[in-house]
Amino acid sequence: MTTQISGPRGLPLSGNLLAFRKDPLSFLTRAASEYGDVAHIRMGPSRHAYLISNPEYIKEILVAKQAHFKKAKGLQVAKLVVGEGILTNEGKDHLRQRRLMQPAFHRDRIAGYGDIMVEEAVNHIEAWKDGELLDIHHEMMRLTLAIITRTMFGANVSSNADEIGHAIEVGLQYISKKATSVLDIPLEVPTKGNRDFQQASELLDKTIYAIIEDRRNEPEGAEHTDLLAMLLAARDEEDGTGMSDKQVRDEVMTIFVAGHETTANTLSWTWYLLSQHPEVEARFHQELDEVLEGREPTVDDIPSLPYVNQIVQESMRLYPAAWMINREVVENVEIGGYHFKPGEILMMSQFVMHRDPRFYDEPDRFKPERFDGGELLKRNPQFAYFPFGGGPRICIGNNFALMESALLLATIGQRFRISRGENEPAAIPEPVVTLRPKNGMKMTIHKR
Ligand code: HEM
């Protein structure tokens, strides 16, 4: 039924696969602008995908008709690290785990982590020297990893935080290599990459299970306010049961994987955009100076920093860390008058949608003011802007990420200006699992 949908011409066997792999962002942007709301993309001899670029259709897929879909295969490789955590599991299992975890991410609960975020940022930038050239992306990755480690385990792990950090990095790199590699070498083959990965996994499991066991053996009344404590205390409203050790382990890993690189990317792109737009940067500094008057920010300051919040929104519009969401059809479904069959993939790209001229004037320009007062978001259809996805699988850490981004920008921006050398080439977005800056982000820091 779907054969009438047209799309970019491809090669006889591989279809559009090579063109997509070579430069996914340009390929998708062109496909949407040339073929409209639904473009047919062939990913090999018999794999049919459709790029959906209409916010109403996206809403149907992610919300109203979500039960007709499952997450597409690309994510399966993440299971090697996160097991059956909420990012990867489906159906009833997903619903139950999501219900158990939701309260831990409630805005009021996570507000308590604000102080940790600011403290970690202050510690981190203490080592920065005026005039130093740094890979800001690497710095943001280290900082967000330190924050998620402390909010997850509290004081438990400060001694082996670096070890855990390294093991997680190895795991994440392995996933992104495997996700983009043409050759799928099974984990059993003892290549160096496989061995490193297995070693890192064993270390992580050993550490995490030991922490879980310590916690379970603690006497009643021991006070912990970290995420792990919330996962261990979570009880299903319906049957009163909690999570097994394996489930807690999988959710801990899920939160590490989903919750650190995404925020680091958002911050890296934000520093880059600020460095390219001195008028925005000046207004950013002015707001920080007027509102904070030199003291450290707290969660309560965030509503008084509207421009910082607009900067984060605009940065996630132009460089959405989650640049594409895919769903595989599991049951025949109709979307916007088009019919899709089981096995077909529907692709929804935040990168494409967020730069659609139907919804954004001067779509490629960095203009945080466009989010001023929330008018734009009210005027546009809901899914013209969806950095955190939507429906039952919307990012569980969205408030965490927004709070962390605002607090880190405020803490760092108050003390440093971050510039990019005039001779540095423009930063290139590299869409791997997340949208990261290709070759990092070399920038110079200046004391303010
Ligand atoms: C700017 C930062 C972030 C962005 C752009 C982002 C984006 C997203 C998106 C688009 C999804 C939905 C994927 C889909 O439907 O296929 C998602 C899911 C998820 N995110 Fe985030 N995320 C961010 C930060 C975080 C943080 C800080 C955490 C945890 C502390 C987190 C945890 C999760 C989890 C667990 C899921 C799976 C939810 C489910 O399927 O029920 N994310 N994220």
Side-chain angles (χ1 to χ4, degrees), residues 155-285:
N156 271 72
V157 286
S158 39
S159 54
N160 43 13
D162 283 349
E163 227 179 16
I164 296 186
H166 175 71
I168 287 173
E169 290 298 334
V170 173
L172 288 180
Q173 272 168 22
Y174 186 80
I175 302 182
S176 59
K177 259 213 185 123
K178 225 175 158 61
T180 48
S181 150
V182 188
L183 272 182
D184 188 15
I185 303 173
L187 192 56
E188 297 73 43
V189 181
T191 58
K192 180 167 185 327
N194 280 350
R195 270 183 290 138
D196 287 352
F197 172 71
Q198 258 163 345
Q199 236 174 22
S201 299
E202 277 162 27
L203 170 77
L204 269 177
D205 280 356
K206 215 174 90 196
T207 315
I208 295 173
Y209 281 127
I211 297 172
I212 295 174
E213 196 187 327
D214 280 355
R215 284 288 178 92
R216 295 235 198 246
N217 290 336
E218 273 181 1
E220 288 268 317
E223 290 260 324
H224 292 283
T225 51
D226 47 49
L227 278 173
L228 178 66
M230 298 202 198
L231 297 183
L232 289 169
R235 292 289 175 272
D236 194 326
E237 278 169 14
E238 282 175 14
D239 58 19
T241 57
M243 294 187 212
S244 67
D245 286 0
K246 165 79 168 70
Q247 279 166 334
V248 173
R249 178 258 173 227
D250 287 353
E251 299 302 5
V252 165
M253 288 311 301
T254 294
I255 293 167
F256 271 110
V257 166
H260 121 264
E261 186 171 326
T262 39
T263 314
N265 282 327
T266 301
L267 289 163
S268 303
W269 288 115
T270 307
W271 293 122
Y272 175 68
L273 287 162
L274 288 171
S275 75
Q276 304 301 295
H277 297 83
E279 67 300 341
V280 177
E281 188 188 49
R283 208 177 139 190
F284 164 64
H285 288 150

Side-chain angles (χ1 to χ4, degrees), residues 4-273:
Q4 76 278 21
I5 302 173
S6 54
R9 272 175 75 95
L11 298 169
L13 268 182
S14 56
N16 308 110
L17 190 60
L18 295 180
F20 171 76
R21 281 238 166 113
K22 194 165 162 235
D23 184 353
L25 301 177
S26 309
F27 175 80
L28 294 177
T29 303
R30 232 176 306 122
S33 86
E34 287 172 20
Y35 296 91
D37 289 346
V38 182
H40 182 196
I41 318 271
R42 270 198 316 119
M43 297 290 195
S46 57
R47 204 143 179 85
H48 296 280
Y50 298 87
L51 173 66
I52 309 292
S53 310
N54 175 315
E56 301 301 339
Y57 301 173
I58 294 176
K59 187 172 179 180
E60 280 198 56
I61 298 164
L62 294 182
V63 189
K65 295 185 179 166
Q66 52 86 21
H68 292 76
F69 300 94
K70 64 174 184 180
K71 288 206 164 179
K73 274 230 175 67
L75 217 80
Q76 303 300 320
V77 12
K79 282 197 175 173
L80 289 172
V81 176
V82 301
E84 302 295 325
I86 58 166
L87 186 69
T88 44
N89 66 7
E90 299 281 352
K92 269 204 184 122
D93 290 342
H94 172 260
L95 262 180
R96 175 177 187 271
Q97 285 300 107
R98 176 93 194 197
R99 213 169 45 227
L100 282 172
M101 287 171 73
Q102 195 72 45
F105 285 91
H106 190 272
R107 201 189 299 258
D108 297 341
R109 281 267 177 96
I110 59 167
Y113 302 136
D115 291 347
I116 295 181
M117 293 170 177
V118 174
E119 245 175 71
E120 285 294 329
V122 170
N123 287 343
H124 191 87
I125 57 182
E126 224 148 60
W128 286 7
K129 294 184 194 69
D130 190 24
E132 198 176 5
L133 182 71
L134 288 174
D135 180 348
I136 282 293
H137 184 55
H138 182 68
E139 296 293 307
M140 295 299 112
M141 289 284 276
R142 279 184 45 213
L143 179 52
T144 55
L145 182 61
I147 288 173
I148 198 73
T149 309
R150 239 184 100 189
T151 45
M152 175 64 75
F153 297 123
N156 271 72
V157 286
S158 39
S159 54
N160 43 13
D162 283 349
E163 227 179 16
I164 296 186
H166 175 71
I168 287 173
E169 290 298 334
V170 173
L172 288 180
Q173 272 168 22
Y174 186 80
I175 302 182
S176 59
K177 259 213 185 123
K178 225 175 158 61
T180 48
S181 150
V182 188
L183 272 182
D184 188 15
I185 303 173
L187 192 56
E188 297 73 43
V189 181
T191 58
K192 180 167 185 327
N194 280 350
R195 270 183 290 138
D196 287 352
F197 172 71
Q198 258 163 345
Q199 236 174 22
S201 299
E202 277 162 27
L203 170 77
L204 269 177
D205 280 356
K206 215 174 90 196
T207 315
I208 295 173
Y209 281 127
I211 297 172
I212 295 174
E213 196 187 327
D214 280 355
R215 284 288 178 92
R216 295 235 198 246
N217 290 336
E218 273 181 1
E220 288 268 317
E223 290 260 324
H224 292 283
T225 51
D226 47 49
L227 278 173
L228 178 66
M230 298 202 198
L231 297 183
L232 289 169
R235 292 289 175 272
D236 194 326
E237 278 169 14
E238 282 175 14
D239 58 19
T241 57
M243 294 187 212
S244 67
D245 286 0
K246 165 79 168 70
Q247 279 166 334
V248 173
R249 178 258 173 227
D250 287 353
E251 299 302 5
V252 165
M253 288 311 301
T254 294
I255 293 167
F256 271 110
V257 166
H260 121 264
E261 186 171 326
T262 39
T263 314
N265 282 327
T266 301
L267 289 163
S268 303
W269 288 115
T270 307
W271 293 122
Y272 175 68
L273 287 162

